Amino acid sequence: MTMSTRTRTGAGDPLCPCCAFLPDDLFLPPMAVTEEEELSERSPSSRIAQTSASGSTTIETPTPQDALRAIKSDAEARRLVLVDTHTHPQLERNSGDLPAGDDDERGAAGIGKPFDDGHEQHGSSRSGSPEMITLVCSVSPHDWQSTLTYASEPSRYETTLPALGVHPWYLYPDLSPSYLSDLEHLLKQHPQAIVGEIGLCKVAKFVRNYPAELGGKQGALELQRTVFWDQFRLASRLRRPVSVHCVQRHGVLTKLFKEIMQEAVKVRKEWRKKQKESALSTESGDRGGDEPRILDAYPTAVAMHSYTGTAHHVKELLEFEERLHKEEGSGVATRHPMFYFGFSHAVNVAMCSSDKSRLQNIEAIRAVPTNRLLAESDVHCTADVEAGTAGAIAYLAAASGHTVLEMADITAKNGIEFLHSV
């Protein structure tokens, strides 16, 4: 990759990832392989997705390791870009340190085991390997600085973007009262950083153990809602995308989105009333100022991370987005997706082991329009980023009926559009 001219904040300081992210000469993937190509002419990675029909309710999903090996064979033939829109390699945890999931299950899935082919795994552009673009997501104020430092490393600063936020697992007992102002300060220092990982999670450990004198479980869930609301509004005000964690709270989340719209409609209505009164009371009729936009009450884009909602929940969010545009009066030609849906092998396969949950995930993937699908590694160490992303791509390909190469191009294009929605 050709490196652009960048500046440093001082001698010896790390390069700011916000100033260096995605050089102007970045390759954008072409259209996917045409359907007319015969299976016998497809590359090994293309054949992985052919193990199941798109209409099947059960699929064969390769391990992340096998998916990466197959993708590497295609990277020999052309410049291939993989975009990972949610990962935590700054934590540098091995599989035994992960906060959730069964180690044996994750090991069998190929997560937590470095992909060793004799090369550096992340931040390189070597022959025969895909080029990685990653969104490195923090989980609490304790790793905001390490997230920024990781994304600023010389080996990866042009293709890595940081996300800063407070994960719904890490709200108690250590969250500082100044967290929101601290977060805003850092986001303003890094104008291309997005907000994340934020969200709502009914199964967070602290929810079960939250002190009774603070409201017990209900008090914990209300704390989550408040912290999520505050960060979501901050992202809206600063015009940043967000990466949202949501587990067993999809109905609550949709209700919250609707409440935000109702408030925005009310603000606009009051503005119009004041402008009308002002116009009647002055000869000039000068309305002054811009009418509040309802869409500005939301972040520029919302990525639903490692999505575990149902197909019904997908349709609810898409219908809500349509309603937002209708209320705003925005034309179809000017629209860009608000809601994206990310899926990972680490969560959607390795941690969803029951037939019911896996079927639910497959149906959800098939309910998502192709231009909103994102691939996420959701891993916790640098060595797993490539394989984790490849595993997510192969999983999406198998569930949707695309080839792996097609899905790599689809998720790369979608991921770049999401990251560029700042």
Side-chain angles (χ1 to χ4, degrees):
M1 174 183 293
T2 302
M3 292 181 65
S4 305
T5 302
R6 307 294 176 189
T7 59
R8 292 178 183 265
T9 57
D13 290 341
L15 289 156
C16 175
C18 299
C19 300
F21 181 64
L22 297 187
D24 296 334
D25 68 340
L26 177 71
F27 166 79
L28 288 174
M31 293 299 293
V33 181
T34 60
E35 294 181 0
E36 287 76 15
E37 288 183 282
E38 295 294 331
L39 179 61
S40 60
E41 296 177 353
R42 297 185 189 269
S43 60
S45 71
S46 301
R47 289 195 292 271
I48 291 177
Q50 301 300 321
T51 58
S52 61
S54 61
S56 173
T57 56
T58 59
I59 59 173
E60 291 183 31
T61 304
T63 68
Q65 309 287 10
D66 289 340
L68 182 57
R69 289 189 182 93
I71 285 175
K72 280 175 178 283
S73 69
D74 289 303
E76 295 281 0
R78 68 176 176 90
R79 189 178 180 189
L80 187 64
V81 176
L82 304 185
V83 178
D84 177 6
T85 53
H86 195 104
T87 188
H88 306 283
Q90 82 282 4
L91 300 177
E92 291 297 355
R93 296 170 175 164
N94 59 38
S95 60
D97 294 330
L98 293 175
D102 181 83
D103 293 341
D104 292 337
E105 184 178 62
R106 290 176 64 78
I111 298 294
K113 297 179 179 179
F115 182 87
D116 184 10
D117 64 353
H119 296 284
E120 180 187 358
Q121 288 304 298
H122 182 209
S124 61
S125 55
R126 60 199 180 277
S127 175
S129 291
E131 186 168 2
M132 288 297 310
I133 294 170
T134 55
L135 177 66
V136 180
C137 297
S138 65
V139 295
S140 79
H142 296 296
D143 75 334
W144 288 349
Q145 194 55 55
S146 62
T147 298
L148 292 169
T149 299
Y150 183 93
S152 301
E153 288 294 327
S155 64
R156 63 176 74 96
Y157 77 98
E158 286 194 324
T159 55
T160 305
L161 199 64
L164 304 176
V166 184
H167 190 291
W169 289 2
Y170 303 110
L171 308 187
Y172 179 82
D174 296 327
L175 190 61
S176 168
S178 66
Y179 87 91
L180 194 62
S181 60
D182 295 341
L183 177 59
E184 180 172 358
H185 177 72
L186 280 176
L187 289 171
K188 287 180 176 178
Q189 282 187 330
H190 299 274
Q192 289 195 48
I194 84 162
V195 177
E197 177 177 357
I198 66 175
L200 304 172
C201 186
K202 192 174 182 179
V203 300
K205 184 177 180 181
F206 92 91
V207 171
R208 301 191 299 272
N209 302 325
Y210 202 59
E213 60 269 23
L214 296 179
K217 180 178 179 180
Q218 194 56 44
L221 294 175
E222 184 58 34
L223 174 61
Q224 277 191 357
R225 186 183 189 279
T226 299
V227 174
F228 171 76
W229 179 285
D230 288 344
Q231 294 179 96
F232 193 84
R233 287 194 163 186
L234 178 61
S236 303
R237 181 159 53 85
L238 297 182
R239 310 310 302 146
R240 308 293 176 91
V242 294
S243 183
V244 175
H245 170 115
C246 187
V247 175
Q248 296 182 23
R249 303 291 282 169
H250 294 92
V252 173
L253 185 65
T254 301
K255 182 180 178 182
L256 186 58
F257 289 156
K258 291 178 179 178
E259 289 176 7
I260 294 172
M261 184 184 74
Q262 290 168 359
E263 181 178 323
V265 170
K266 181 179 179 181
V267 169
R268 185 182 66 178
K269 184 177 180 180
E270 291 175 351
W271 183 91
R272 287 176 173 175
K273 181 180 178 181
K274 289 180 180 179
Q275 293 301 308
K276 184 177 181 180
E277 292 172 349
S278 176
L280 291 174
S281 64
T282 62
E283 292 182 3
S284 64
D286 183 15
R287 294 170 63 86
D290 295 327
E291 179 173 291
R293 295 180 72 247
I294 293 173
L295 290 174
D296 285 348
Y298 296 84
T300 53
V302 179
M304 301 301 297
H305 150 61
S306 285
Y307 192 68
T308 55
T310 65
H312 172 72
H313 291 134
V314 171
K315 292 174 183 177
E316 272 193 331
L317 288 177
L318 296 179
E319 288 171 359
F320 171 71
E321 181 179 331
E322 184 67 24
R323 183 182 168 192
L324 270 179
H325 282 290
K326 184 177 180 180
E327 192 71 49
E328 187 72 83
S330 53
V332 174
T334 62
R335 295 183 192 179
H336 298 283
M338 172 182 288
F339 291 107
Y340 291 84
F341 298 83
F343 295 87
S344 67
H345 193 288
V347 171
N348 297 105
V349 178
M351 294 187 186
C352 294
S353 56
S354 72
D355 290 342
K356 180 180 179 181
S357 62
R358 290 193 173 183
L359 173 58
Q360 176 177 299
N361 287 340
I362 294 169
E363 290 175 341
I365 290 170
R366 293 172 182 168
V368 176
T370 304
N371 68 327
R372 296 169 184 262
L373 289 170
L374 298 176
E376 302 176 341
S377 70
D378 200 16
V379 296
H380 300 76
C381 65
T382 302
D384 287 344
V385 171
E386 275 191 347
T389 307
I393 290 169
Y395 171 59
L396 286 169
S400 63
H402 288 85
T403 68
V404 171
L405 260 190
E406 288 169 347
M407 187 53 65
D409 287 345
I410 288 168
T411 54
K413 183 176 184 297
N414 296 347
I416 290 170
E417 288 181 353
F418 168 69
L419 296 176
H420 269 172
S421 62
V422 176

